[in-house]
Amino acid sequence: MPNPATSPKTRSSTTPKPAVEAVGRALSAIRPIVTQWRDGLTVIALESELKNYAPDYLTLDQASAADGLQIKEAEQQTVPSVDAITGPMPVLILGGDTIIGGAQNRIINLTILLKAAARTAIPVSCLEHGRWNRGGQFAAGRTVDYAMRSMVAEQVTRQRRLSPDGSAAEPQFFADQGAIWSEIGHRQARASVSSQTQALHDVYAREEVSVDDFVRAFPMPAGSRGVAIGLFNRLVGLDLFDSVETLERQWPRLIASA
């Protein structure tokens, strides 16, 4: 249940107590309703006792298709941030969503709800190594896999700085770009993929058919508000939404990520 975001540079470095309590209520209200399994992948659909809200925001793919969001390179092009300009509605971007084009393909480093009719600098990391040009706008891409999503989230947590006295200082939301490029290189080697720009999406393109098969094999059960993802005996991800409608839009992307 996100709240509209300001620029990451102006956020509080501590999580407000009401937000922590809201997350606690949301987690205590869920229960599993349907479990699906195939080839070591377990997908558990979750329902919630909390009220289902009609979304008063657009998702990244929705907003991009409806011209409700423009994402472009910042005036001073850098890897760690891009500018998002919203239309008349807030836009929910999930950590792990990707944007294609610009100077380089990027991953969004954290989940953020963009205010309507505003320009926000959002933290990103690069998903290719051999391209850097004067590209302008971006299009919405597929969500990264859960392993990459988790890797970036852990890096963002590690990168948050502390002041000399140990108290929390202005938070940072950057990832370890070198480690991301290294991981993409390992994946391309394992998949025997040759890419001029060392782009992660070239690896995804190689496995697109098998991923589509998995998406069809795991339909979303009616009334679901969240999903837990397991690989064999290990929980690797959990996503929970305030709206059934939002999960319906995200379900194929989340299954593809798994």
Side-chain angles (χ1 to χ4, degrees):
M1 293 174 289
N3 292 316
T6 58
S7 165
K9 292 184 178 180
T10 61
R11 286 185 175 184
S12 168
S13 58
T14 58
T15 305
K17 184 178 179 181
V20 175
E21 294 174 345
V23 171
R25 288 194 299 272
L27 292 175
S28 64
I30 62 174
R31 70 179 185 89
I33 52 174
V34 176
T35 298
Q36 303 174 73
W37 182 90
R38 174 178 169 178
D39 296 341
L41 174 64
T42 301
V43 175
I44 304 174
L46 308 171
E47 70 173 6
S48 174
E49 298 174 355
L50 299 181
K51 179 180 178 181
N52 179 64
Y53 289 91
D56 54 1
Y57 51 82
L58 302 175
T59 57
L60 173 62
D61 55 327
Q62 227 178 348
S64 299
D67 294 327
L69 174 69
Q70 292 184 16
I71 301 180
K72 57 180 62 178
E73 296 286 359
E75 292 184 5
Q76 297 294 324
Q77 282 183 301
T78 62
V79 168
S81 67
V82 295
D83 286 344
I85 302 107
T86 50
M89 291 190 68
V91 177
L92 175 65
I93 301 180
L94 300 182
D97 278 345
T98 67
I99 48 177
I100 307 301
Q104 289 178 319
N105 297 344
R106 311 291 222 291
I107 177 178
I108 309 300
N109 287 355
L110 75 163
T111 297
I112 183 171
L113 184 60
L114 302 172
K115 293 194 298 185
R119 178 189 291 262
T120 306
I122 56 177
V124 296
S125 300
C126 181
L127 292 178
E128 57 181 330
H129 198 189
R131 179 175 72 92
W132 183 262
N133 56 31
R134 296 300 302 175
Q137 294 195 25
F138 293 88
R142 63 159 282 179
T143 304
V144 298
D145 58 271
Y146 271 95
M148 180 64 76
R149 184 178 172 189
S150 176
M151 175 181 174
V152 171
E154 290 175 2
Q155 291 172 354
V156 169
T157 300
R158 280 201 307 270
Q159 293 282 3
R160 296 185 63 166
R161 298 175 181 171
L162 293 177
S163 63
D165 63 0
S167 62
E170 180 178 301
Q172 304 294 313
F173 299 95
F174 304 133
D176 183 339
Q177 185 60 70
I180 293 172
W181 280 331
S182 177
E183 174 63 19
I184 293 172
H186 292 322
R187 291 179 181 216
Q188 291 189 334
R190 290 196 300 268
S192 299
V193 171
S194 177
S195 169
Q196 288 186 336
T197 66
Q198 298 180 42
L200 179 62
H201 286 80
D202 290 339
V203 179
Y204 289 158
R206 175 74 173 268
E207 59 191 26
E208 186 173 353
V209 173
S210 61
V211 168
D212 288 344
D213 287 342
F214 267 86
V215 172
R216 287 190 292 269
F218 292 95
M220 174 180 157
S224 302
R225 294 269 290 279
V227 59
I229 301 294
L231 292 177
F232 296 98
N233 62 347
R234 183 166 61 94
L235 178 68
V236 298
L238 188 149
D239 290 275
L240 183 64
F241 296 90
D242 62 342
S243 168
V244 171
E245 291 86 342
T246 300
L247 180 57
E248 284 177 339
R249 296 198 63 85
Q250 295 300 312
W251 183 273
R253 295 163 64 83
L254 295 173
I255 299 302
S257 298

